[in-house]
């Protein structure tokens, strides 16, 4: 694996995970950019970063002398920063979700293709060994058909306010559900077909997010039917009261012959409790560093060891298509067929 020089934009939570992974894998974190000087400087000190840009920084300077740009900032910056980096001949690794609209994705795709640079996206959760194990059991028919995969995510109003902004990360349906949609799609090995969802904004009266021009939907009940007739279902809310304590229920899959439940361990890994043939057993699974794995796979793509990164524009686009179908179903009150034509 070649050694790469990286510009990291965004030294927050995800930026910290990525920085650790670049470092462990032996690449050089050359430049860090963040609006927040303390964060950028703390990261620079930890990883011996040569150049730190904060406040009114200059992208042109930031991009010099690096060959990879890693984007860990709110969603409205994903498309413009990807395009800027690609136009300067840099490979791009970007946190999920990919972008706000198909139009933005199209511009990102055109820019990266024109510059012949790689684009990778941070769907690290899907690299957990539990996902592959569930997919294998599902394929072997351990659960039978059809299967129902149910997930839920119940949280208080997010302390990162941009996550509630309709014009930024656009609430959990865009920001968080993409992880679950990709998980279901991977386990069922099938494409989502029809979405039905109900939802709304239950945290409307909360002061801390009242300044946004448009609030994102914060709560939904979502059902997705796959071409295989399997079903993914979830309840999601980011509208709950401060210090809300009821934990989310573990992910579960059931079918006519059995089921399984995720037992969360650390850093997005899980073990699995299998219910089959009238008994149950705990399956301990390898616990990888998923951030290292995603970045290793991306670098292999950059180096030409693999044809494409594990997750890229295509998966980002598919997950946005699903999120937009969920929002359309909530808005219209009707089931919506997922639009895969990507009519920009
Ligand atoms: N893959 C995952 O599991 C996962 C989990 C959480 C968040 N995310 C995604 O990662 C992205 C970042 O989220 P986070 O949780 O790290 O947020 P965060 O608030 O912890 O960090 C974001 C950082 O970006 C900085 N920033 C904001 N705008 C900037 C700009 N224009 N230029 C430079 N710096 C800027 C902020 O000062 C902050 O330090 C989001 O797209 C989010 O959806 C992914």
């Amino acid at each position: 694996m070649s050694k790469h020089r990286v510009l990291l934009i965004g030294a927050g939570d995800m930026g910290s995970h990525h920085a650790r992974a670049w470092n462990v894998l032996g690449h050089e974190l050359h430049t860090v950019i963040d609006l927040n000087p303390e964060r950028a400087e703390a990261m620079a000190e930890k990883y011996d970063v040569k150049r730190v840009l904060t406040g009114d920084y200059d992208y042109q300077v930031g991009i010099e002398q690096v060959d990879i740009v890693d984007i860990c900032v709110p969603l409205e910056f994903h498309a413009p920063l990807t395009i800027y980096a690609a136009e300067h001949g840099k490979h791009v690794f970007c946190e999920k979700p990919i972008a706000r609209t198909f139009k933005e994705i199209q511009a990102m795709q055109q820019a990266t293709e024109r510059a012949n640079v790689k684009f990778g996206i941070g769907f690290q959760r899907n690299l957990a060994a539990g996902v592959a194990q569930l997919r294998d059991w599902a394929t072997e028919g351990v659960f039978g058909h059809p299967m129902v995969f149910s997930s839920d995510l119940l949280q208080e109003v997010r302390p990162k306010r941009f996550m509630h902004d309709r014009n930024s990360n656009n609430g959990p349906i865009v920001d968080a559900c993409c992880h679950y949609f990709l998980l279901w799609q991977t386990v069922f090995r099938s494409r989502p077909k029809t979405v039905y969802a109900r939802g709304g904004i239950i945290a409307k009266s909360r002061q801390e997010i009242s300044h946004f021009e448009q609030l994102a939907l914060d709560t939904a009940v979502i059902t997705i039917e796959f071409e295989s007739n399997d079903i993914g279902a979830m309840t999601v809310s980011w509208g709950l009261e401060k210090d809300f304590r009821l934990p989310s229920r573990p992910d579960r899959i059931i079918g006519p012959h059995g089921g399984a439940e995720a037992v969360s361990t650390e850093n997005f890994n899980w073990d699995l409790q299998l219910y089959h043939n009238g008994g149950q057993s705990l399956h301990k699974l390898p616990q990888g560093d998923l951030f290292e794995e995603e970045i290793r796979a991306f670098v292999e793509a950059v180096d030409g060891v693999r044809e494409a990164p594990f997750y890229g524009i295509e998966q980002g686009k598919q997950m946005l298509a699903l999120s937009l179908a969920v929002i359309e179903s909530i808005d219209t009150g009707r089931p919506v067929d997922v639009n895969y034509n990507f009519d920009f």
Side-chain angles (χ1 to χ4, degrees):
M1 187 163 63
S2 340
K3 183 172 164 173
H4 293 277
R5 273 194 171 172
V6 181
L7 157 63
L8 177 69
I9 310 179
D13 286 337
M14 283 304 115
S16 302
H17 285 297
H18 290 205
R20 190 193 63 248
W22 288 114
N23 185 259
V24 168
L25 295 173
H27 302 289
E28 182 187 355
L29 195 54
H30 180 273
T31 304
V32 170
I33 294 183
D34 198 296
L35 294 175
N36 178 324
E38 290 93 61
R39 282 189 179 172
E41 276 147 24
M43 184 175 281
E45 198 174 317
K46 189 162 180 184
Y47 296 112
D48 198 17
V49 172
K50 295 214 170 39
R51 188 168 56 197
V52 182
L53 300 172
T54 63
D56 203 8
Y57 56 80
D58 185 346
Y59 284 123
Q60 179 64 49
V61 171
I63 217 154
E64 285 163 8
Q65 299 164 39
V66 302
D67 64 325
I68 292 176
V69 175
D70 183 349
I71 301 171
C72 294
V73 288
L75 185 53
E76 68 269 34
F77 303 111
H78 291 189
L81 289 175
T82 296
I83 294 163
Y84 186 84
E87 284 172 349
H88 287 77
K90 315 297 175 184
H91 302 285
V92 177
F93 192 78
C94 181
E95 257 308 333
K96 57 88 233 163
I98 186 168
R100 295 175 300 179
T101 62
F102 289 160
K103 221 179 169 58
E104 285 187 341
I105 298 175
Q106 183 188 38
M108 293 161 89
Q109 186 164 15
Q110 285 171 348
T112 48
E113 284 176 2
R114 208 179 295 123
N116 196 23
V117 293
K118 298 291 181 196
F119 177 88
I121 187 163
F123 283 131
Q124 88 288 353
R125 291 194 199 183
N126 225 51
L127 303 177
V131 178
Q133 180 64 77
L134 280 184
R135 183 200 56 208
D136 291 349
W137 282 338
T139 308
E140 288 158 19
V142 168
F143 309 122
H145 274 285
M147 294 172 275
V148 177
F149 202 134
S150 65
S151 301
D152 78 6
L153 177 66
L154 304 177
Q155 292 181 296
E156 61 180 305
V157 168
R158 301 287 65 221
K160 295 176 192 178
R161 308 297 179 220
F162 65 85
M163 295 195 168
H164 286 270
D165 182 357
R166 170 75 187 80
N167 297 302
S168 183
N169 281 52
N170 203 2
I173 295 169
V174 172
D175 183 285
C177 290
C178 54
H179 283 302
Y180 298 89
F181 298 160
L182 186 59
L183 163 64
W184 301 342
Q185 178 168 313
T186 305
V187 171
F188 295 151
R189 289 181 185 258
S190 176
R191 285 204 322 174
K193 191 172 62 175
T194 307
V195 171
Y196 181 63
R198 302 299 289 150
I201 308 173
I202 66 170
K204 263 195 189 111
S205 59
R206 292 286 285 271
Q207 277 269 295
E208 59 270 51
I209 49 176
S210 60
H211 58 288
F212 289 125
E213 215 168 282
Q214 283 181 293
L215 274 180
L217 295 166
D218 61 29
T219 301
V221 178
I222 300 169
T223 309
I224 299 183
E225 187 184 354
F226 286 72
E227 286 171 353
S228 55
N229 293 329
D230 300 310
I231 304 279
M234 90 178 276
T235 307
V236 60
S237 183
W238 280 359
L240 301 165
E241 65 175 349
K242 193 159 169 30
D243 300 326
F244 182 83
R245 286 281 171 260
L246 178 65
S248 295
R249 212 173 26 69
D251 287 325
R252 279 181 178 167
I253 187 166
I254 53 160
H257 304 320
E261 187 170 75
V263 181
S264 279
T265 50
E266 281 192 328
N267 296 327
F268 308 112
N269 281 288
W270 351 312
D271 292 326
L272 282 166
Q273 188 77 17
L274 176 67
Y275 297 82
H276 192 52
N277 290 334
Q280 55 171 296
S281 49
L282 178 66
H283 290 249
K284 292 278 200 189
L285 295 167
Q287 310 283 304
D289 184 317
L290 306 183
F291 293 99
E292 282 175 35
E293 284 181 32
E294 68 175 358
I295 283 176
R296 188 181 294 112
F298 174 66
V299 169
E300 285 177 1
V302 168
D303 291 348
V305 177
R306 284 196 214 185
E307 183 51 33
F310 204 79
Y311 295 122
I313 296 256
E314 200 49 43
Q315 288 74 23
K317 204 155 66 169
Q318 288 171 10
M319 296 311 115
L320 185 68
L322 275 167
S323 297
L324 295 182
V326 169
I327 292 171
E328 185 183 339
S329 179
I330 292 170
D331 286 348
T332 60
R334 288 203 296 272
V336 170
D337 289 338
V338 185
N339 176 8
Y340 284 107
N341 294 324
F342 303 118
D343 189 4
F344 290 110

